[in-house]
């Protein structure tokens, strides 16, 4: 499918930013971040230079999975605001050239959603078939061997009606039945409802899981070749998830979003076991999801050889028209300054440089721009149900703590006398206010990288070509004249680039340096260069 000319430039050439709304800015002193708080902080996003924002779930929810258990797909959760405030956010962001994406959770609903309340009331309820029901096996056990991503069987017996229902996540998150045409029509309508209000598109939760095998066949055992999370669960999810029939649904959605100008953007949360399979979600004719999160990079080690291998395989398998997405942190996988860099500032700066200079659309996670790290959470403060039910250290709270705006009590997130919904990290050590005052800070590096991207056509859209580099150094060209060189090691190194000029370096004292032939790089240093 061909895009109208230029209609996709904003997300192909821009930078996107994920806001975990509950933790961004609390405007009304209840300790919970909200949509008015996002409006109040739009100046920061404009100053940083981002083009679009993905808001983590905003729809009404009992919050067993913090908004990923939706009870109404056409409204706003009262903790976060209301529809009028969301409309105002879209308008205010629009004035600053920033577009707003919502998180759409089509794989499942909350068990309190009126559809499920109706579905479980009797076997012939109107919405019964909107969910996945199956009879027990003769011995009363679940219909097949599928396991929940959050642990235990993916089936729960509903004693009143005598059947099991499917939940690939929490018991309180029953899976929708995407074989049912009414479910499909309902979501067509939900997508239009939001696009008509000016929402620019959606991040689609669990995009690979939407539809389940019609025959409910057992998943086969995992093998040595499977990634660690699949080996841990013991089964390869080829029937419970990752079904080829999902592609037809995304093609259908694409025809809906293409009716808008610019077309609504579809960004998939695609946890797929291999890069080859992941690339399929763009569609063979690039007619499915516009952007798909590539978790292979997230889970690679911060080593030159490993990251280069992921990027090169990605470049090789992706349809040349399709646009890669690069992200390093999110609300599930943790923050990269901790996961990759063990809190080291120099490594974090270098990793951030990679994220913003690869070919593709980068997604920053709120706080990445100041190098926020994961915050240790005491057992009594665990808020993530996964942490509460499985094990405190399995919880995802450490990467969901409040944005550190300033060093004062409440961190500029909430009033100093208010207890935030989740503890605040060491805001005195790292915050937006202090870093704005320091031109050498990570915040300024981030802003300057975003601006350099915007002002350098080759960084926005030039191709990626690896450059030969010694061990520990990863270097590539963008287009003909722009290069990036990163030393991802504890040893100093050098790379031969020929005559060049440093446009921007992680060590800001090196900005503007002239290079004769060899660029020397200290441990965990990086530079973007113009090749002469
Ligand atoms: C996605 C979300 C995650 C949530 C899960 C179930 O993976 O990112 O936070 O728990 O879906 O909805």
């Amino acid at each position: 499918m061909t895009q109208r000319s230029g209609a996709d430039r904003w997300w192909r050439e821009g930078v996107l930013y994920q806001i975990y709304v509950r933790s961004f800015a609390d405007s009304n002193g209840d300790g919970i971040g909200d949509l008015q708080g996002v409006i109040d902080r739009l100046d920061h996003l404009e100053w940083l230079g981002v083009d679009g924002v993905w808001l983590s779930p905003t729809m009404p929810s009992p919050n067993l999975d913090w908004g990923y258990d939706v009870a109404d797909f056409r409204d706003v959760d009262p903790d976060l605001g209301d529809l009028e405030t969301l409309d105002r956010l879209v308008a205010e962001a629009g004035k600053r050239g920033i577009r707003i994406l919502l998180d759409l959770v089509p794989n499942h609903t909350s068990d309190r959603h009126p559809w499920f309340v109706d579905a479980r009331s009797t076997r012939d309820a109107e919405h019964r078939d909107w969910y996945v029901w199956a009879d027990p096996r003769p011995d009363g056990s679940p219909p097949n061997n599928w396991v929940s991503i959050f642990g235990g069987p993916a089936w729960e017996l509903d004693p009143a009606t005598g059947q099991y229902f499917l939940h690939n996540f929490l018991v309180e998150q029953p899976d929708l039945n995407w074989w049912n045409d009414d479910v499909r029509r309902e979501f067509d309508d939900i997508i239009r409802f939001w696009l008509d209000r000016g929402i620019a598109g959606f991040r689609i939760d669990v995009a690979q899981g939407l539809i389940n095998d019609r025959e409910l066949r057992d998943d086969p055992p995992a093998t040595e070749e499977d990634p660690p999370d699949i080996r841990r669960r013991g089964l390869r999810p080829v029937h419970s998830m990752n079904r080829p029939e999902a592609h037809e649904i995304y093609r259908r959605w694409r025809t809906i979003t293409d009716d808008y100008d610019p077309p609504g953007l579809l960004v998939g949360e695609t946890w797929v076991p291999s890069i080859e399979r992941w690339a399929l979600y763009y569609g063979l004719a690039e007619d499915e999801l516009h952007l798909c999160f590539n978790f292979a990079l997230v889970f690679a080690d911060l080593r030159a050889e490993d990251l280069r291998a992921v990027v090169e395989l990605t470049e090789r398998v992706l349809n040349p028209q399709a646009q890669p997405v690069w992200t390093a942190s999110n609300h599930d996988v943790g923050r990269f300054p901790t996961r990759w860099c063990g809190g080291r500032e120099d490594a974090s700066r270098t990793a951030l440089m990679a994220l913003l200079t690869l070919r593709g659309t980068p997604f920053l996670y709120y706080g990445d721009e100041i190098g926020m790290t994961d915050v240790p959470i005491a057992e009594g403060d665990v808020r993530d149900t996964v942490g509460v039910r499985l094990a405190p250290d399995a919880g995802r709270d450490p990467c969901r703590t409040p944005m550190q705006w300033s060093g004062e009590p409440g961190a500029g997130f909430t009033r100093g006398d208010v207890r935030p919904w989740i503890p605040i990290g060491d805001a005195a050590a790292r915050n937006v206010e202090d870093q704005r005052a320091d031109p050498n800070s990570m915040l300024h590096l981030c802003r300057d990288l975003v601006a350099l991207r915007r002002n350098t056509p080759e960084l926005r859209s030039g191709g990626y070509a690896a450059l030969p580099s010694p061990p520990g150094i990863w270097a590539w060209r963008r287009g003909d004249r722009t290069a990036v060189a990163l030393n991802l090691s504890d040893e100093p190194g050098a790379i031969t680039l020929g005559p060049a000029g440093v446009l921007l370096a992680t060590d800001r004292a090196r900005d503007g340096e002239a290079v004769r032939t060899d660029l020397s790089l200290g441990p965990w240093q990086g530079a973007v260069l113009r090749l002469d």
Side-chain angles (χ1 to χ4, degrees):
M1 184 145 315
T2 46
Q3 289 274 3
R4 264 161 290 184
S5 121
D8 56 352
R9 276 186 61 180
W10 81 267
W11 53 263
R12 278 184 183 264
E13 299 190 1
V15 173
L16 281 92
Y17 184 100
Q18 179 190 355
I19 292 183
Y20 197 76
V21 181
R22 295 184 72 84
S23 291
F24 198 60
D26 169 20
S27 73
N28 60 357
D30 63 359
I32 301 170
D34 47 50
L35 295 176
Q36 181 59 50
V38 178
I39 297 175
D40 297 342
R41 294 292 184 173
L42 282 171
D43 287 347
H44 169 74
L45 300 178
E46 185 183 16
W47 178 84
L48 195 58
V50 306
D51 300 86
V53 164
W54 148 30
L55 301 174
S56 309
T58 45
M59 297 170 193
S61 166
N63 284 325
L64 264 303
D65 192 16
W66 298 115
Y68 286 104
D69 43 333
V70 176
D72 180 353
F73 287 94
R74 292 182 181 81
D75 207 346
V76 169
D77 190 280
D79 278 354
L80 310 182
D82 53 21
L83 274 175
E84 186 268 327
T85 316
L86 181 55
D87 289 345
R88 223 155 16 83
L89 169 58
V90 169
E92 289 299 321
K95 286 183 198 159
R96 294 164 171 86
I98 298 171
R99 291 180 160 93
I100 302 291
L101 309 182
L102 294 187
D103 212 315
L104 185 67
V105 189
N107 180 66
H108 46 263
T109 70
S110 160
D111 63 347
R112 314 247 191 103
H113 194 295
W115 303 336
F116 190 69
V117 172
D118 176 54
R120 77 187 316 177
S121 64
T122 81
R123 282 204 188 197
D124 51 19
E126 183 191 343
H127 296 94
R128 180 73 174 185
D129 188 52
W130 284 37
Y131 294 85
V132 184
W133 296 94
D135 290 331
R137 283 192 276 208
D139 65 355
S141 62
N144 67 22
N145 71 351
W146 297 354
V147 288
S148 154
I149 300 288
F150 290 158
W155 295 96
E156 180 76 3
L157 183 65
D158 178 53
T161 59
Q163 284 190 307
Y164 280 89
F165 66 84
L166 177 67
H167 61 91
N168 268 313
F169 293 88
L170 298 174
V171 176
E172 294 86 351
Q173 293 171 302
D175 269 52
L176 282 164
N177 174 16
W178 277 89
W179 291 102
N180 181 306
D181 279 337
D182 290 335
V183 169
R184 294 186 187 209
R185 276 193 290 272
E186 182 72 20
F187 273 84
D188 293 350
D189 194 61
I190 290 167
I191 288 170
R192 289 198 188 94
F193 173 84
W194 291 111
L195 295 179
D196 287 344
R197 290 191 99 89
I199 292 297
F202 306 93
R203 176 265 190 186
I204 297 148
D205 192 57
V206 200
Q208 81 289 356
L210 204 57
I211 194 159
N212 324 104
D213 181 40
R214 200 166 204 170
E215 315 292 322
L216 304 180
R217 284 170 287 183
D218 276 354
D219 277 333
T223 71
E224 282 304 299
E225 277 142 46
D226 286 309
D229 59 321
I230 290 184
R231 271 180 296 169
R232 206 174 38 247
R233 282 193 291 276
L235 294 173
R236 180 181 275 193
V238 295
H239 296 310
S240 54
M241 297 196 164
N242 299 303
R243 297 298 309 160
E245 297 87 356
H247 296 287
E248 165 194 336
I249 300 170
Y250 296 132
R251 284 194 290 275
R252 170 181 178 131
W253 289 4
R254 186 72 176 261
T255 62
I256 298 174
T257 57
D258 274 349
D259 268 352
Y260 289 77
D261 187 16
L265 172 62
L266 298 172
V267 186
E269 185 209 20
T270 37
W271 284 90
V272 182
S274 75
I275 292 182
E276 289 84 353
R277 297 278 301 279
W278 159 83
L280 295 176
Y281 285 86
Y282 286 88
L284 293 176
E286 233 244 294
D287 54 355
E288 297 184 23
L289 305 179
H290 299 94
L291 296 173
C292 299
F293 283 115
N294 185 350
F295 291 98
L297 188 87
V298 171
F299 294 117
D301 289 336
L302 188 66
R303 286 166 29 94
E305 296 70 21
D306 297 19
L307 298 186
R308 178 196 306 221
V310 170
V311 169
E312 287 173 11
L313 182 57
T314 301
E315 289 281 353
R316 212 164 44 244
V317 300
L318 211 56
N319 174 340
Q321 306 302 319
Q323 170 85 343
V325 185
W326 304 112
T327 193
S329 311
N330 76 20
H331 64 290
D332 293 325
V333 302
R335 294 184 174 277
F336 79 83
T338 299
R339 194 188 60 254
W340 270 345
C341 311
R344 272 183 77 153
E345 166 97 13
D346 51 2
S348 302
R349 293 168 80 104
T350 309
L352 183 73
M353 181 169 272
L355 189 65
L356 290 167
T357 56
L358 283 167
R359 184 181 86 81
T361 301
F363 271 74
L364 295 168
Y365 184 50
Y366 79 103
D368 278 355
E369 69 271 44
I370 54 168
M372 257 173 78
T373 48
D374 288 342
V375 175
I377 300 288
E379 205 166 323
D381 288 327
V382 173
R383 297 282 173 270
D384 179 10
T385 307
V386 171
V388 174
R389 292 195 191 160
L390 292 184
D393 60 359
R396 296 162 291 179
D397 300 310
C399 57
R400 299 175 175 183
T401 63
M403 180 66 171
Q404 297 166 193
W405 296 103
S406 72
E408 67 205 34
F413 163 72
T414 188
R415 289 201 325 251
D417 59 338
V418 168
R419 190 182 148 91
W421 78 283
I422 194 169
I424 302 177
D426 186 356
R430 205 168 266 287
N431 65 69
V432 173
E433 191 175 275
D434 290 351
Q435 292 200 21
R436 259 190 90 149
D438 172 8
N440 289 319
S441 64
M442 181 130 169
L443 179 59
H444 276 273
L445 175 70
C446 185
R447 179 177 188 244
D448 293 347
L449 280 165
V450 171
L452 185 65
R453 240 184 104 88
R454 191 186 297 278
N455 299 327
T456 312
E458 289 193 324
L459 280 180
R460 293 203 309 266
S461 55
Y464 166 97
L467 291 171
S469 39
I473 294 186
W474 178 25
W476 64 91
R477 225 176 352 92
R478 295 291 312 282
D480 297 326
R481 300 277 308 278
T482 310
V484 181
L486 310 176
N487 182 356
L488 302 178
S489 82
D490 292 326
E491 304 299 327
I495 172 167
T496 306
L497 292 171
V502 172
L503 296 170
L504 191 57
T506 55
D507 170 3
R508 303 306 299 271
R510 302 190 62 181
D511 287 5
E513 192 177 298
V515 176
R516 280 253 194 105
T517 38
D518 287 2
L519 171 75
S520 62
L521 286 170
W524 301 104
Q525 272 193 4
V528 186
L529 304 104
R530 191 197 58 254
L531 303 175
D532 291 332

